[in-house]
Amino acid sequence: EVQLVESGGGLVQPGGSLRLSCVASGFTFSNYWMHWVRQVPGEGLVWVSRIKSDGSRTNYADFVKGRFTISRDNAKNTLYLQMNSLRGDDTAFYYCATLRGTGDLDYWGQGILVTVSS
Amino acid sequence: QPVLTQPPSASGTPGQRVTVSCSGSSSNIGTNDVYWYRQLPGTAPKLLIYRNNERPSGVPDRLSGSKSGTSASLAISGLRSEDEADYFCLVWDDSLSGYVFGTGTKVTAL
């Protein structure tokens, strides 16, 4: 059974940092691009970033460029999102996912809430 | 100005056919494949359509996708109460070098 389990969310002050993790199981993690998608409660889905299977390529949405860094550790089957200079509008549920657009699997984690507030 | 525009809502009576549109541009829908997701409240999105019109196993054939030019559509035939959900399109945008979700459509069975 494929599972993606996010952790590391919580409350952080504006300007602060947080690192999200996503542990994958049930598939060959090292073969797949991985993505982060976020969603403000009650609003739409927003793609944040992706990383190639071997970590050699990354892409980011404009609104996180220079602030967020996606990375992975294939030995630990783990995806990361380092979030710096956090702002109030970064408050959202963050999902890790394999997307059908970059492979033959489409699975999502349960999501983790990040709240940026003083 | 959103990159991919969807109507905020769509509705129909049970058994009717409902369509959800996704309007983009030459740098996204005009060039790349469209994916459709359904999201129920409090849950992660579920893939319904990939590569414009392909259905993953387990998705009923009363759901179908199409694409023409810079627009795409998801059609739900034989609308059921369990189809009530939010629907999102997803496409890669060559100009942005990133994926973009549509604005989302809430489907209601009247």
Side-chain angles (χ1 to χ4, degrees):
Chain A
E1 179 195 6
V2 171
Q3 279 198 314
L4 295 169
V5 180
E6 301 99 339
S7 62
L11 176 64
V12 61
Q13 292 189 336
S17 299
L18 212 55
R19 188 177 83 156
L20 303 182
S21 300
C22 170
V23 177
S25 60
F27 67 104
T28 307
F29 178 75
S30 59
N31 286 354
Y32 290 88
W33 286 81
M34 293 298 297
H35 302 253
W36 287 100
V37 175
R38 75 184 190 185
Q39 184 174 37
V40 175
E43 298 187 9
L45 299 167
V46 179
W47 179 83
V48 174
S49 181
R50 73 169 183 174
I51 185 168
K52 194 177 178 182
S53 54
D54 62 0
S56 62
R57 280 177 57 191
T58 59
N59 296 95
Y60 297 91
D62 285 345
F63 56 85
V64 302
K65 281 180 183 175
R67 300 190 301 126
F68 290 12
T69 302
I70 190 171
S71 62
R72 64 192 297 161
D73 185 336
N74 285 345
K76 295 182 178 180
N77 286 351
T78 303
L79 173 72
Y80 302 100
L81 185 67
Q82 177 66 43
M83 303 185 294
N84 299 330
S85 303
L86 283 161
R87 313 183 301 222
D89 59 4
D90 293 318
T91 294
F93 280 95
Y94 285 74
Y95 294 96
C96 68
T98 68
L99 294 182
R100 194 62 175 79
T102 50
D104 58 3
L105 292 181
D106 197 286
Y107 286 97
W108 296 61
Q110 82 285 358
I112 191 83
L113 181 61
V114 171
T115 303
V116 183
S117 176
S118 54
Chain B
Q1 186 80 349
V3 175
L4 295 179
T5 303
Q6 298 179 232
S9 62
S11 62
T13 57
Q16 276 191 325
R17 185 173 187 267
V18 172
T19 60
V20 178
S21 61
C22 177
S23 178
S25 67
S26 58
S27 65
N28 43 67
I29 295 179
T31 310
N32 300 303
D33 290 331
V34 180
Y35 300 78
W36 287 95
Y37 290 84
R38 168 190 287 170
Q39 187 180 32
L40 297 170
T43 69
K46 174 188 174 182
L47 180 68
L48 298 178
I49 298 290
Y50 66 97
R51 290 190 203 143
N52 308 313
N53 55 20
E54 301 286 339
R55 279 184 305 274
S57 61
V59 175
D61 60 6
R62 60 188 187 83
L63 274 72
S64 61
S66 63
K67 186 178 91 165
S68 178
T70 59
S71 292
S73 292
L74 172 72
I76 306 172
S77 300
L79 187 68
R80 301 179 180 182
S81 58
E82 63 248 39
D83 295 324
E84 290 197 326
D86 294 321
Y87 292 79
F88 298 91
C89 54
L90 172 68
V91 187
W92 177 263
D93 189 291
D94 291 340
S95 295
L96 298 174
S97 293
Y99 277 99
V100 183
F101 281 97
T103 50
T105 299
K106 186 175 190 64
V107 170
T108 303
L110 299 172

